Amino acid sequence: MAEQKPKNQDIDFTIIGQGLAGSLLAYCLLNAGKRIAIISDGKQSASRVAAGLINPITGQRFVLAEKTPAMLKLASEFYTAIETKLGIRCYFPTPLIRLFNNEKEKVFYEKRLLQPHYTPFFSTKPLSEQQLVNAPFGGVIQLQAAWLDTNTLLDALADYFISHDRITHLPAQTNSQTTTIHCEGYKIKYNPLFSWLPLQPAHGEIIHCESKSKLAPEITVKSKWLLPTSQNTCRIGATFEPHISEPTQQEQSKNALLSFVSSLKKDNEFNLLSHQAGIRPATLDKQPFIGFHPHDSNHAVFNGFGSRGSLLIPWYAKLFTETLVNQSKIPAEADIQRYESLCV
């Protein structure tokens, strides 16, 4: 894929980083009529390793966050519109089979059933014996889940930006009159402008496998997840290793993931196709980092979306575009002003 430098003209915003955060924010700004430049180091981002899972109900307590229904609606509309515009398929609404790890999880689920706003997210259809393999505590089918093919999306967006002459390689000079937005993922911890933000990067690994038998289309989750990408291929993940600081493929992680899929699909055989590692840009309070540097308003950050980036980024990209274009207020939960006291 050939890359070109932006034409020699004034630009409004320079975006550093071409993962999902940088790419979707760039797309929103272009659609708002702004002139942008995207600076990429050409290396693989964590977004290309991520599963792209969109799961509205999370954690052992089956939590549905207040803004999640609105975020789901916007994400569906956002990705569908991109599919139409770019002529691709990248967004796949898919039921999710959630297998309980213990009796405690089952009790939390039963309590959620008594809350009316949870009703649209659970199917009343019982799971089959085949779906309940290695699930002594049972499980449930969660609705309104989906997965995002991040590689297809990022490749298509890269071509779109190239067609608009928007991409350049590092190193590059940024115009001091423009706003530079830092979307480097976990590498923000090496950025002297924003290294004070309390990032909690988490190393994770996934594998891509081919199955001997046809796979059911549903996503299956039991601590780890199995995501069918075709009738005979799937992605399995993900490990969580906060002590590893750089993407590194671990043999023990690969074996743990292979063991997981074998325990779920005992009547099937899987051949390993690939093994990948990445660093999730998670944060201390599990909220993203968005906003302007306290002492230099020419620099901003759009980062820290962790493992829920496929759901969160469209929502916050739209909101931050409104901030950048129309000076609207950044949502308090995401505004880096909450950590301003750490910037010295």
Side-chain angles (χ1 to χ4, degrees):
M1 183 185 299
E3 294 194 0
Q4 304 171 18
K5 292 185 178 181
K7 292 178 180 178
N8 186 19
Q9 60 181 354
D10 290 337
I11 56 175
D12 300 305
F13 301 100
T14 298
I15 294 176
I16 299 179
Q18 205 181 348
L20 195 61
S23 294
L24 295 190
L25 182 61
Y27 181 80
C28 288
L29 286 168
L30 269 181
N31 284 348
K34 294 302 175 181
R35 297 163 299 183
I36 66 168
I38 303 169
I39 298 177
S40 171
D41 62 8
K43 297 180 180 178
Q44 177 174 278
S45 69
S47 300
R48 290 189 175 274
V49 180
L53 282 182
I54 297 177
N55 180 8
I57 309 291
T58 60
Q60 295 182 356
R61 296 174 179 266
F62 288 80
V63 174
L64 175 66
E66 180 182 357
K67 293 181 180 179
T68 294
M71 287 181 171
L72 279 171
K73 182 176 184 296
L74 186 143
S76 177
E77 294 170 351
F78 186 88
Y79 291 128
T80 301
I82 288 181
E83 287 181 322
T84 300
K85 185 167 186 173
L86 302 185
I88 60 171
R89 184 81 198 281
C90 65
Y91 178 70
F92 300 90
T94 308
L96 183 151
I97 298 172
R98 172 75 179 268
L99 301 178
F100 306 137
N101 285 293
N102 48 53
E103 188 66 28
K104 188 176 180 180
E105 284 190 2
K106 184 177 180 180
V107 170
F108 275 121
Y109 158 68
E110 290 170 345
K111 288 181 179 178
R112 297 304 188 195
L113 285 180
L114 302 177
Q115 299 174 266
H117 61 289
Y118 276 81
T119 303
F121 296 94
F122 294 122
S123 171
T124 57
K125 181 182 177 181
L127 294 175
S128 67
E129 289 186 12
Q130 187 176 14
Q131 292 169 324
L132 286 170
V133 171
N134 196 28
F137 301 101
V140 63
I141 299 174
Q142 290 183 197
L143 306 176
Q144 300 193 46
W147 68 278
L148 181 70
D149 185 343
T150 54
N151 285 289
T152 293
L153 175 59
L154 291 174
D155 286 344
L157 284 172
D159 288 340
Y160 178 72
F161 297 140
I162 287 170
S163 72
H164 287 73
D165 296 331
R166 296 294 92 192
I167 298 177
T168 187
H169 280 304
L170 286 174
Q173 298 296 320
T174 59
N175 188 330
S176 61
Q177 301 303 311
T178 69
T179 298
T180 299
I181 307 169
H182 299 262
C183 310
E184 306 104 312
Y186 84 98
K187 293 178 183 177
I188 198 79
K189 68 180 182 178
Y190 302 121
N191 185 331
L193 284 167
F194 293 104
S195 59
W196 50 273
L197 289 169
L199 191 73
Q200 287 195 327
H203 185 274
E205 298 174 57
I206 68 169
I207 57 175
H208 187 202
C209 291
E210 181 180 44
S211 70
K212 186 175 181 180
S213 303
K214 181 179 177 181
L215 293 167
E218 299 89 0
I219 302 164
T220 302
V221 175
K222 188 183 180 186
S223 296
K224 297 179 176 63
W225 44 260
L226 182 149
L227 169 62
T229 52
S230 74
Q231 290 186 349
N232 291 95
T233 58
C234 60
R235 303 179 88 185
I236 300 115
T239 59
F240 181 82
E241 298 128 346
H243 59 284
I244 301 177
S245 59
E246 295 295 331
T248 309
Q249 296 173 4
Q250 306 285 316
E251 187 72 14
Q252 62 185 23
S253 298
K254 180 191 74 175
N255 292 336
L257 294 172
L258 287 170
S259 177
F260 166 73
V261 70
S262 296
S263 70
L264 279 184
K265 307 291 182 181
K266 294 182 178 180
D267 58 345
N268 204 343
E269 295 180 16
F270 293 85
N271 295 319
L272 181 68
L273 298 177
S274 66
H275 177 198
Q276 296 173 290
I279 306 289
R280 308 174 185 91
T283 66
L284 180 66
D285 61 1
K286 304 187 187 307
Q287 298 292 343
F289 295 147
I290 302 174
F292 300 92
H293 191 281
H295 310 308
D296 187 349
S297 60
N298 283 335
H299 288 271
V301 63
F302 187 72
N303 209 323
F305 296 97
S307 61
R308 303 188 72 206
S310 298
L311 175 63
L312 299 181
I313 292 171
W315 177 267
Y316 285 108
K318 289 270 191 178
L319 292 176
F320 196 38
T321 296
E322 280 296 309
T323 298
L324 295 167
V325 174
N326 299 317
Q327 292 75 53
S328 63
K329 191 173 181 180
I330 299 169
E333 76 276 3
D335 196 332
I336 61 170
Q337 286 187 4
R338 69 193 190 274
Y339 290 120
E340 186 173 354
S341 63
L342 301 179
C343 182
V344 293

